[in-house]
Amino acid sequence: MAKKLAVVGAGLMGAGIAQVAAQAGYEVTLRDITEQALTRGTDGIKSSYDRFVAKGKLEAADAEAALARIHPTTDLGAVADADLVVEAVFEQIEVKQEIFRELDRLAAPEAVLASNTSAIPITKIAAATGRPERVVGTHFFSPVPMMQLCELVRGHKTSDETLARAREFAESVGKTCVVVNRDVAGFVTTRLISALVVEAVKLYESGVATAEDIDTACRLGFGHAMGPLATTDLTGVDILLHATGNIYAESQDEKFAPPELMRRMVDAGDLGRKSGQGFYPY
């Protein structure tokens, strides 16, 4: 198994992917545009390792060794010796296509190029490269060190070998994989949660039930670990608004049309846990 990984984007997702990979023994190049972003990312990784050590889930020496395997850089050219490159930047098709154009130029010819997108079709991202057969979706779940699932997504030209190498990587860092054979917008998981969230917000918006009761119904009636409105607060109202908007734009399916309340909340800065107020106060 190849052991050199590059992660492009040191935000919450990119840092999380770097963290689990380094812990699994990979040498990880972590790239972002600014030193400040890299410092935020590596500080977050160190804090997470420290929490695992404090809980007895990780030896201090192993945490220190894993941290030493993460190499922050602002140079995108540092992806040149990676066997696998995972892009984890903002969920916007133009941004991702620009990154993949550069990765196509800079990464080794045999490298697998993966996107951590949760909603954007891999075929559209891969079309920016001259090697669409080597492009695949690796949709990790947040927070990456805690969540077990990785959604592997085939683009129209993704090869069997590329999919197999992506699976091998995801499983080597402790994830269970599901495969999406056709990269419809939102894939499987984002489509399901978006449809549920949109309906839950509409029920709440129209006064049918309280946020608490809608979430309780999903937890106790369907066995969900967390209700859809609490999930929205955890993920970020803005993130889910963006995801549902992407799916709606692509599919024109009314069930994904973002409710007005979500737009108003984002405009007002009520983004969920990260802002202190969403469907619940924090």
Side-chain angles (χ1 to χ4, degrees), residues 140-141 143-151 170 173-177:
F140 288 85
F141 282 68
V144 180
M146 306 298 293
M147 298 292 277
Q148 201 180 349
L149 187 65
C150 181
E151 193 175 31
V173 299
K175 305 306 175 191
T176 299
C177 299

Side-chain angles (χ1 to χ4, degrees), residues 206-221:
S206 58
V208 171
T210 64
E212 291 87 346
D213 282 355
I214 291 166
D215 281 350
T216 299
C218 289
R219 284 189 295 104
L220 303 186

Side-chain angles (χ1 to χ4, degrees), residues 201-210:
V201 174
K202 286 178 179 174
L203 289 169
Y204 172 67
E205 187 178 39
S206 58
V208 171
T210 64

Side-chain angles (χ1 to χ4, degrees), residues 248-268:
Y248 178 61
E250 188 76 23
S251 67
Q252 291 301 297
D253 187 331
E254 285 299 323
K255 72 172 170 282
F256 297 111
E260 185 194 354
L261 178 61
M262 288 180 80
R263 297 187 189 281
R264 288 171 62 79
M265 288 172 72
V266 170
D267 288 345

Side-chain angles (χ1 to χ4, degrees), residues 144-264:
V144 180
M146 306 298 293
M147 298 292 277
Q148 201 180 349
L149 187 65
C150 181
E151 193 175 31
L152 300 177
V153 187
R154 272 186 184 276
H156 186 60
K157 295 190 176 180
T158 303
S159 70
D160 290 345
E161 184 208 354
T162 296
L163 187 72
R165 285 175 64 187
R167 180 190 283 276
E168 191 179 5
F169 165 66
E171 290 179 347
S172 75
V173 299
K175 305 306 175 191
T176 299
C177 299
V178 295
V179 176
V180 180
N181 288 311
R182 191 162 63 85
D183 60 339
V184 294
F187 317 137
V188 170
T189 55
T190 306
R191 278 179 95 90
L192 288 172
I193 191 61
S194 293
L196 183 60
V197 164
V198 165
E199 192 56 40
V201 174
K202 286 178 179 174
L203 289 169
Y204 172 67
E205 187 178 39
S206 58
V208 171
T210 64
E212 291 87 346
D213 282 355
I214 291 166
D215 281 350
T216 299
C218 289
R219 284 189 295 104
L220 303 186
F222 307 140
H224 293 183
M226 187 182 278
L229 300 177
T231 299
T232 303
D233 279 356
L234 177 64
T235 306
V237 180
D238 53 334
I239 302 294
L240 268 166
L241 176 66
H242 196 69
T244 55
N246 275 340
I247 299 169
Y248 178 61
E250 188 76 23
S251 67
Q252 291 301 297
D253 187 331
E254 285 299 323
K255 72 172 170 282
F256 297 111
E260 185 194 354
L261 178 61
M262 288 180 80
R263 297 187 189 281
R264 288 171 62 79

Side-chain angles (χ1 to χ4, degrees), residues 29-64:
T29 297
L30 181 60
R31 190 266 181 178
D32 212 309
I33 297 170
T34 67
E35 293 291 349
Q36 294 94 315
L38 288 167
T39 300
R40 269 197 308 274
T42 51
D43 284 352
I45 292 168
K46 185 177 184 310
S47 296
S48 186
Y49 281 152
D50 288 346
R51 285 194 295 276
F52 280 119
V53 171
K55 290 176 182 174
K57 294 181 178 178
L58 185 64
E59 293 295 327
D62 292 338
E64 199 172 319

Side-chain angles (χ1 to χ4, degrees), residues 212 233 276-282:
E212 291 87 346
D233 279 356
Q277 178 66 50
F279 290 98
Y280 300 92
Y282 298 91

